[in-house]
């Protein structure tokens, strides 16, 4: 039986599975609840998407929560999977785990070669421990558990939180509100940072591939390896939302890590013909979903 945790979230809701659970179905930060859930449902495969996630503002201001909740959820899910005989598990890291000062491009072997960027170090360390726990469980228990490292994921059913969300959903939501109110659009930082954006439906496909075909102890990067500046991103979002107002850049808001260029060469060896959704196309699908579902969106 294939289980997806975080099944009501942006990636989890895009993955095919026998059972998808959200925080209402099982509190993954509570060991007794997780153990009882695995005992009752006996999954044989797990794609563990559940996490406490957020953008730069959320990560900078709730470091204790981001560290504790992610450490607890990951530790509990991987241990319960072991105890209840799960054959294969895929866990999620993120490209923010990479060191802030390391040679580019970022590749899988560089994860632990220095401290992550201060803006999200608590979350990054919690996610790095997921890599360590999986490697330890493979060595001690001979388990076939793996982890994947997606870049900035965006897509339908994201968390469109204006303050603590990631840049794409926050800007889509804020641009939509500015257009409806006939106001200018406030954008954080300088616009010069570069990010790699991967569409949630691509991540869903690749996670299923990893569950079925990836078996290495080292994590594997899911990335378009195409950098886009925040300025270009917001211009795309404004065009797709038919926003006619001005962009107001708030220089008092943080830029965060300037760039985190990740190398997708390892995945390309396995899937040389994988077609990543182009950013403009993915944003178009996301914005169409947003406008069709507003105001019934997660925010
Ligand atoms: O997605 P984001 O919040 O986090 O992107 P990171 C932050 C970048 O977008 C900064 C700019 O350069 C911000 O200045 N930005 C502009 C905005 N306007 C906005 C806005 O309205 N909201 C937000 N949030 N940013 C994330 C980590 O880092 O990377 C996550 O925090 C995760 O944990 C993800 O690992 C992959 O890209 O900096």
């Amino acid at each position: 039986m294939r289980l997806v945790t975080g099944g009501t979230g942006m990636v989890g809701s895009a993955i095919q599975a026998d059972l998808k659970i959200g925080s209402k179905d099982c509190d993954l930060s509570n060991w007794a609840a997780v153990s009882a859930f695995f005992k009752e449902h006996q999954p044989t495969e797990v794609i563990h998407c559940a996490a406490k996630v957020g953008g730069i503002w959320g990560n900078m201001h709730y470091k204790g929560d981001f560290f504790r909740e992610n450490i607890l959820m990951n530790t509990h899910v991987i241990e319960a999977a072991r105890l209840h005989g799960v054959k294969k598990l895929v866990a999620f890291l993120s490209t923010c785990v990479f060191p802030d000062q390391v040679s580019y491009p970022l590749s899988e072997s560089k994860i632990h070669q220095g401290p992550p960027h201060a803006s999200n170090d608590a979350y990054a360390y919690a996610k790095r421990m997921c890599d360590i726990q999986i490697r330890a469980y493979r060595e001690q228990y001979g388990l076939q558990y793996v982890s994947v490292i997606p870049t900035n994921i965006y897509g339908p059913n994201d968390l469109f939180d204006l303050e603590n969300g990631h840049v794409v959903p926050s800007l889509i939501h804020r641009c939509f509100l500015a257009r409806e109110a006939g106001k200018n659009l406030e954008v954080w930082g300088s616009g010069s940072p570069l990010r790699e954006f991967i569409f949630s439906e691509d991540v869903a496909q690749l996670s299923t591939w990893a569950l079925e075909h990836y078996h290495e102890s080292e994590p594997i990067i899911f990335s378009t390896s195409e950098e886009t500046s925040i300025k270009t991103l917001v211009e795309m979002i404004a065009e797709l939302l038919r926003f006619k107002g001005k962009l107001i850049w708030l220089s008092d808001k943080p830029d965060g890590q300037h760039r985190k260029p990740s190398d997708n060469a390892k995945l390309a060896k396995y899937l040389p013909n994988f077609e990543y959704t182009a950013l403009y196309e993915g944003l178009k699908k996301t914005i169409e979903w947003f406008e069709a579902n507003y105001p019934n969106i997660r925010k």
Side-chain angles (χ1 to χ4, degrees):
M1 185 270 271
R2 185 168 294 186
L3 167 69
V4 169
T5 69
T8 56
M10 168 174 61
V11 176
S13 54
I15 297 176
Q16 297 298 322
D18 302 302
L19 181 58
K20 298 195 203 187
I21 57 168
S23 50
K24 285 190 266 325
D25 306 301
C26 181
D27 173 2
L28 299 180
S29 65
N30 174 320
W31 169 244
V34 177
S35 182
F37 182 91
F38 273 70
K39 189 163 179 232
E40 181 190 345
H41 294 279
Q42 294 293 315
T44 51
E45 302 172 314
V46 176
I47 300 183
H48 172 42
C49 300
K52 177 165 179 63
V53 296
I56 188 166
W57 198 257
N59 264 281
M60 285 174 69
H61 294 87
Y62 301 100
K63 290 195 176 187
D65 297 346
F66 274 81
F67 182 82
R68 180 186 65 256
E69 290 185 37
N70 286 298
I71 282 276
L72 288 173
M73 285 194 267
N74 297 337
T75 307
H76 291 162
V77 167
I78 296 168
E79 174 60 357
R82 176 185 79 84
L83 285 175
H84 296 282
V86 168
K87 293 283 165 287
K88 185 71 182 287
L89 176 141
V90 175
F92 276 61
L93 275 60
S94 159
T95 47
C96 77
V97 301
F98 284 104
D100 186 32
Q101 306 292 332
V102 77
S103 61
Y104 291 148
L106 304 172
S107 58
E108 289 86 354
S109 60
K110 296 178 180 175
I111 296 176
H112 300 284
Q113 289 180 6
H117 190 269
S119 63
N120 49 38
D121 53 1
Y123 176 76
Y125 277 118
K127 285 290 189 179
R128 286 190 189 186
M129 291 309 108
C130 189
D131 168 39
I132 300 299
Q133 185 178 4
I134 282 176
R135 290 174 192 266
Y137 277 38
R138 290 173 66 97
E139 276 182 45
Q140 182 176 351
Y141 306 112
L143 292 170
Q144 275 297 318
Y145 297 178
V146 299
S147 65
V148 297
I149 311 178
T151 59
N152 291 50
I153 310 171
Y154 71 97
N157 199 27
D158 201 343
L159 181 64
F160 292 87
D161 181 328
L162 291 170
E163 275 306 298
N164 298 315
H166 289 107
V167 58
V168 171
S170 296
L171 279 178
I172 288 174
H173 191 180
R174 194 173 307 114
C175 186
F176 172 83
L177 294 175
R179 182 193 74 189
E180 294 302 291
K183 289 192 176 154
N184 290 326
L185 171 60
E186 292 184 341
V187 191
W188 297 357
S190 67
S192 63
L194 299 166
R195 292 291 183 272
E196 294 167 330
F197 295 103
I198 186 166
F199 192 48
S200 57
E201 291 168 14
D202 296 352
V203 176
Q205 268 187 61
L206 292 171
S207 314
T208 302
W209 167 82
L211 187 74
E212 294 166 0
H213 303 289
Y214 185 66
H215 303 294
E216 295 183 37
S217 61
E218 187 180 68
I220 186 165
I221 287 171
F222 293 163
S223 170
T224 59
S225 293
E226 266 175 40
E227 291 185 289
T228 302
S229 74
I230 298 300
K231 182 172 182 301
T232 304
L233 170 74
V234 75
E235 286 165 352
M236 284 183 181
I237 290 171
E239 180 188 323
L240 286 162
L241 272 169
R242 307 167 304 287
F243 175 73
K244 304 287 181 235
K246 282 204 207 72
L247 302 183
I248 312 290
W249 293 93
L250 304 182
S251 54
D252 62 327
K253 290 277 189 181
D255 267 345
Q257 201 162 356
H258 181 60
R259 57 189 293 237
K260 33 188 177 179
S262 59
D263 181 356
N264 65 9
K266 184 172 182 180
L267 183 70
K269 278 204 205 83
Y270 281 98
L271 297 176
N273 303 319
F274 185 80
E275 302 241 327
Y276 295 93
T277 302
L279 179 56
Y280 192 84
E281 192 50 39
L283 288 173
K284 186 165 179 289
K285 285 183 177 178
T286 307
I287 288 169
E288 283 166 356
W289 180 91
F290 181 89
E291 292 199 280
N293 287 275
Y294 189 83
N296 304 316
I297 52 157
R298 295 189 305 137
K299 53 189 179 206

